[in-house]
């Protein structure tokens, strides 16, 4: 585990999967991250690459060849990621293609993720470098799980998510049997900017938003005000999720989504897929900002 700390925040990142596992106040030790209770959901903040969510039949097709890939790709739980660079206020981890990755992801890539701690903010910076002689295809995203309730005098239903703009937005419902995006939608925000958190909100899996105007979401408590926010200007999709019995909420900036039920499985035309030309580097950042009120 690797730790960064300043006079406001301490963060820690696991070696496995380069997974952020601690966001806490340096002064009062308040913890803002879910504890990855294995009896509920044993992760903190998986990194998603080169797909988001599930593939139809666990596979995709690239140039008439079939390849398999686990849900959310192969960065999470990966033991081969290594600490590439460390500075006073940043940690950069990397994973490079090898013979093993080429078996099910036929592209030569370099994946970098940097955690940059400045004041009360954590920038999570993704860089994907195409070191192939052809265009490579991928999605990338985050899955951070934030603790709620944070304080002992609260319950889960005291919490809400507040979007920066008033929204009229639908969630694209997920088929619970296979994890694919169905053709059904359901209105979640109707000229509103607030989702009140309840455990049964996630009975039908994640809320999947494709057309939000907002690029910032704030986690709020009725009793203790704004806890933290996630800004995701580089990410057009957003997932909101928790296990129904879990005392946390995941705010997930995505570049890409799970396969739809009617996909033809062609990787090149997969919804949200990014095409990166040979020799080019792609960069996308989201930011977690903890409210200063709760750090002293």
């Amino acid at each position: 585990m690797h730790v960064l700390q300043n006079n406001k925040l301490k963060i820690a990142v696991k070696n496995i999967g380069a997974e952020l596992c601690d966001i806490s106040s340096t002064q009062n030790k308040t913890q803002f991250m879910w504890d990855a209770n294995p009896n509920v959901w044993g992760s903190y903040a998986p990194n998603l690459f080169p797909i988001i969510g599930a593939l139809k039949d666990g596979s995709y097709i690239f140039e008439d060849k079939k390849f398999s890939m686990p849900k959310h790709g192969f960065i999470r739980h990966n033991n081969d990621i290594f600490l590439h660079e460390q500075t006073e206020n940043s940690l950069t981890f990397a994973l490079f293609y090898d013979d093993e990755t080429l078996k099910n992801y036929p592209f030569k890539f370099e994946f970098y993720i940097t955690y940059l701690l400045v004041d009360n903010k954590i920038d999570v910076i993704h860089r994907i470098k195409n070191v192939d002689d052809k265009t490579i295809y991928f999605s990338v995203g985050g899955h951070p799980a934030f603790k709620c309730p944070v304080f002992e005098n609260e319950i889960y239903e005291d919490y809400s998510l507040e979007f920066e703009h008033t929204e009229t937005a639908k969630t694209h419902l997920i088929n619970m049997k296979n994890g694919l995006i169905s053709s059904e939608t359901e209105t979640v925000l109707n000229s509103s900017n607030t989702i009140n958190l309840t455990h049964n909100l996630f009975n039908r899996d994640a809320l999947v938003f494709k057309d939000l105007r907002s690029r910032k979401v704030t986690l709020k408590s009725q009793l203790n005000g704004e806890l933290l926010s996630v800004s995701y200007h580089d990410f057009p999709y957003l997932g909101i999720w928790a296990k129904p019995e879990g005392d946390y909420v995941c705010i997930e900036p995505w570049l890409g989504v799970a396969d739809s039920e009617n996909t033809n499985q062609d990787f090149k035309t997969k919804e949200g897929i990014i095409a990166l030309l040979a020799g080019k580097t792609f960069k996308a950042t989201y930011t977690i900002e903890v409210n200063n009120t709760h750090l002293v």
Side-chain angles (χ1 to χ4, degrees), residues 59-66 264-268:
S59 62
Y60 66 93
I61 296 164
F62 178 72
E63 295 184 346
D64 299 323
K65 291 183 180 178
K66 194 173 188 178
N264 64 6
Q265 296 178 273
D266 182 355
F267 205 52
K268 287 185 180 181

Side-chain angles (χ1 to χ4, degrees), residues 255-280:
L255 276 150
V257 286
D259 272 353
S260 61
E261 290 180 315
N262 61 0
T263 179
N264 64 6
Q265 296 178 273
D266 182 355
F267 205 52
K268 287 185 180 181
T269 58
K270 179 175 166 57
E271 182 179 359
I273 205 78
I274 297 157
L276 184 64
L277 297 175
K280 299 294 185 181

Side-chain angles (χ1 to χ4, degrees), residues 39-153:
N39 296 321
V40 181
W41 185 63
S43 293
Y44 300 93
N47 295 306
L48 316 182
F49 175 87
I51 60 168
I52 308 289
L55 294 171
K56 187 175 184 178
D57 301 326
S59 62
Y60 66 93
I61 296 164
F62 178 72
E63 295 184 346
D64 299 323
K65 291 183 180 178
K66 194 173 188 178
F67 300 91
S68 62
M69 182 91 64
K71 184 179 181 181
H72 290 322
F74 51 71
I75 295 292
R76 67 171 184 165
H77 311 316
N78 195 308
N79 287 299
D80 295 328
I81 295 179
F82 60 95
L83 183 64
H84 176 72
E85 185 181 8
Q86 181 168 2
T87 70
E88 187 179 345
N89 65 341
S90 72
L91 296 163
T92 298
F93 297 83
L95 181 74
F96 300 158
Y97 83 93
D98 58 20
D99 290 343
E100 204 57 39
T101 65
L102 288 169
K103 289 177 184 175
N104 281 305
Y105 184 64
F107 306 103
K108 296 177 180 178
F109 70 92
E110 294 179 359
F111 173 92
Y112 301 90
I113 185 163
T114 298
Y115 298 94
L116 176 65
L117 177 62
V118 178
D119 199 37
N120 62 330
K121 296 181 182 180
I122 306 140
D123 285 341
V124 185
I125 306 161
H126 308 77
R127 282 181 297 131
I128 293 91
K129 186 174 182 180
N130 183 349
V131 293
D132 214 321
D133 56 8
K134 64 178 184 285
T135 299
I136 71 170
Y137 298 86
F138 61 89
S139 290
V140 67
H143 202 310
F146 302 106
K147 181 181 176 182
C148 53
V150 169
F151 302 105
E152 287 185 7
N153 63 336

Side-chain angles (χ1 to χ4, degrees), residues 163 167 169 189 209-215 217 232 236 238:
F163 293 78
E167 301 277 1
L189 291 157
F209 297 106
K210 297 183 179 183
D211 52 6
L212 292 171
R213 293 189 305 126
S214 300
R215 287 294 176 265
V217 180
Y232 50 97
L238 186 73

Side-chain angles (χ1 to χ4, degrees), residues 194-206:
T194 301
I195 296 175
N196 293 315
L197 293 184
T198 62
H199 284 299
N200 63 16
L201 182 64
F202 306 107
N203 283 347
R204 299 180 70 177
D205 209 321

Side-chain angles (χ1 to χ4, degrees), residues 5-21:
Q5 189 168 319
N6 60 21
N7 63 349
K8 291 190 174 179
L9 285 180
K10 183 186 97 169
I11 70 169
V13 183
K14 292 170 61 180
N15 281 307
I16 298 172
E19 186 177 359
L20 183 65
C21 61

